[in-house]
Amino acid sequence: MPSPIDFYFDFSSPYGYLGAQKVEALAAKHGRTVAWHPILLGAIFKITGGRPLPELPMKGEYAKRDFARSAAFLGIPFKYPTIFPISSVAPSRACYWAMGKDAKKGAELVKALYKAYFVEDRNISDAATVIEIAAGLGFKADEVGAALNDPAVKEKTKAEVDAAIARGVFGSPYIMIDGEPFWGVDRFEQMERWLSTGGW
Amino acid sequence: MPSPIDFYFDFSSPYGYLGAQKVEALAAKHGRTVAWHPILLGAIFKITGGRPLPELPMKGEYAKRDFARSAAFLGIPFKYPTIFPISSVAPSRACYWAMGKDAKKGAELVKALYKAYFVEDRNISDAATVIEIAAGLGFKADEVGAALNDPAVKEKTKAEVDAAIARGVFGSPYIMIDGEPFWGVDRFEQMERWLSTGGW
């Protein structure tokens, strides 16, 4: 049984959103599954000195254009959110809790939250919005609300981010396949080759 | 007559080197020519706060791996240089001077210098090496040597870098097609679509 594709992403990352629309089909084609790892780029940027793309001089203007063009190129719906970037803490905690209860429905929550933010322009940093979206998938609203403030869920999220950093994750999406790292939705062709050949 | 593809690159940039191996074929396929623009990322990084990829925490280790993997993926010879990064001033000045004398031979010099650095591991920041490579293409060694210290060539190079910055160039390779900007060798497929359709 081949190991799953580890997909690290930040809920505030446009390229993470685009990658999330593609990774399951790639995995299925090669007999793999996807392990979803929400991360908090804010914590990682404290180490790397990184900053959200749109805030960077010169690169910021380009990035906004490239988000939309890359989405169009890949045929994926995309709307630049009114509020950007946002804190990814609430959606990340909700997903770690949900995946712990039910991996399949947890993966659905990942995609529903991303769609809410990057297609429907809903502010998923807001706990009430996260709860509403999770409830739409059948999770109990009061349980989701409790999970967002549960010390064990907070600790799980922090531990996952720390583990990602220890593994070298510095951006979104960041994909590990059999220990080989790939950064960016523009590395899917190289991932495809790796999955087909097991090497470069 | 369609406008040329403006190809901005730094001689110390591995992705610039990879893009330089591909851009002429892409241009020719669409009835275009390539306008080569050596830039000095060091000057641009002073504005953007950027740093050479290999120096960045976490991202640096990944970048070294990705340079080699991307080269292998594209089928392009590549050897990580012993001295990296280097100053791009001498090769850039030589190319602006050479392109001013003979556009076609100037373009050959661009490719010869890139090959010397990223295939043959020669330090092209060194004036003597630049002169030797240019002489190998038929330029007169004493003229090349004089050009590297010619105030007019220095000013031309500076003016080109300033013009690039004014146009929004912040990385390498950075390609402009009919005013549409593309950053990175991983944007060649989007460039291909642009050239085919004139839009996204």
Side-chain angles (χ1 to χ4, degrees):
Chain A
M1 181 76 181
S3 58
I5 294 177
D6 286 308
F7 187 84
Y8 296 87
F9 66 99
D10 186 297
F11 272 112
S12 199
S13 160
Y15 298 126
Y17 159 72
L18 296 178
Q21 314 309 307
K22 290 167 58 75
V23 68
E24 286 178 318
L26 179 68
K29 185 175 168 187
H30 295 278
R32 308 260 187 156
T33 56
V34 175
W36 300 94
H37 301 276
I39 56 169
L40 305 174
L41 274 184
I44 293 172
F45 284 168
K46 282 180 190 162
I47 297 170
T48 62
R51 282 161 60 194
L53 275 170
E55 293 176 11
L56 298 176
M58 301 172 79
K59 204 180 273 192
E61 281 309 303
Y62 174 82
K64 287 182 203 169
R65 190 177 190 98
D66 191 66
F67 296 156
R69 189 179 60 207
S70 293
F73 180 77
L74 297 169
I76 295 171
F78 175 82
K79 183 181 182 308
Y80 190 76
T82 306
I83 302 171
F84 182 90
I86 53 165
S87 162
S88 316
V89 172
S92 297
R93 286 181 184 163
C95 287
Y96 280 119
W97 170 79
M99 292 189 293
K101 285 184 75 84
D102 181 329
K104 188 163 177 293
K105 279 178 64 179
E108 283 173 31
L109 182 57
V110 166
K111 288 172 283 177
L113 287 163
Y114 251 152
K115 181 182 175 194
Y117 187 46
F118 285 112
V119 179
E120 298 159 2
D121 196 15
R122 298 175 70 184
N123 184 349
I124 59 168
S125 70
D126 178 52
T129 303
V130 171
I131 293 167
E132 193 181 318
I133 292 165
L137 294 172
F139 292 103
K140 288 184 182 160
D142 57 342
E143 287 186 15
V144 183
L148 293 179
N149 292 304
D150 181 342
V153 174
K154 292 182 183 181
E155 185 48 44
K156 165 73 174 170
T157 305
K158 186 178 178 308
E160 288 277 353
V161 174
D162 288 345
I165 293 170
R167 233 183 151 183
V169 176
F170 58 80
S172 167
Y174 190 99
I175 302 101
M176 296 279 282
I177 307 176
D178 307 330
E180 180 74 9
F182 298 88
W183 174 41
V185 67
D186 38 34
R187 286 296 176 274
F188 268 68
E189 292 180 2
Q190 293 191 29
M191 289 160 56
E192 173 95 56
R193 178 178 293 188
W194 176 275
L195 287 164
S196 299
T197 67
W200 294 1
Chain B
M1 182 79 180
S3 58
I5 294 177
D6 285 308
F7 187 84
Y8 296 87
F9 66 99
D10 185 296
F11 272 111
S12 200
S13 159
Y15 298 126
Y17 159 72
L18 296 178
Q21 313 309 307
K22 290 166 57 74
V23 69
E24 286 177 318
L26 178 68
K29 185 174 169 188
H30 295 276
R32 307 260 188 156
T33 56
V34 175
W36 301 93
H37 301 276
I39 55 169
L40 305 174
L41 274 184
I44 293 173
F45 285 171
K46 282 180 190 162
I47 297 170
T48 62
R51 282 161 60 194
L53 274 170
E55 293 177 11
L56 298 176
M58 302 172 81
K59 203 180 272 192
E61 281 309 301
Y62 174 82
K64 287 182 204 169
R65 191 179 190 97
D66 191 66
F67 296 156
R69 189 178 60 206
S70 293
F73 181 75
L74 297 169
I76 296 171
F78 174 83
K79 183 181 181 309
Y80 190 75
T82 306
I83 302 170
F84 183 90
I86 52 165
S87 162
S88 316
V89 171
S92 297
R93 286 182 185 163
C95 287
Y96 279 119
W97 169 80
M99 292 189 294
K101 284 182 77 81
D102 181 328
K104 188 163 177 294
K105 279 179 65 180
E108 282 172 30
L109 182 58
V110 166
K111 288 173 282 178
L113 287 163
Y114 250 152
K115 181 182 176 194
Y117 187 47
F118 285 112
V119 179
E120 298 159 2
D121 196 15
R122 298 174 70 185
N123 184 349
I124 60 166
S125 69
D126 178 52
T129 303
V130 170
I131 292 167
E132 192 182 319
I133 292 166
L137 293 173
F139 291 102
K140 289 183 180 160
D142 57 342
E143 287 186 14
V144 183
L148 293 179
N149 292 302
D150 181 341
V153 175
K154 291 182 183 180
E155 185 48 45
K156 165 73 175 169
T157 304
K158 187 178 177 305
E160 288 278 353
V161 174
D162 289 345
I165 292 169
R167 233 183 152 182
V169 176
F170 58 81
S172 168
Y174 189 100
I175 302 101
M176 296 278 282
I177 306 176
D178 307 331
E180 180 76 9
F182 299 88
W183 173 42
V185 66
D186 39 34
R187 286 297 175 275
F188 268 67
E189 292 180 0
Q190 293 191 28
M191 289 160 56
E192 173 96 56
R193 179 178 291 189
W194 177 275
L195 287 163
S196 299
T197 67
W200 293 1

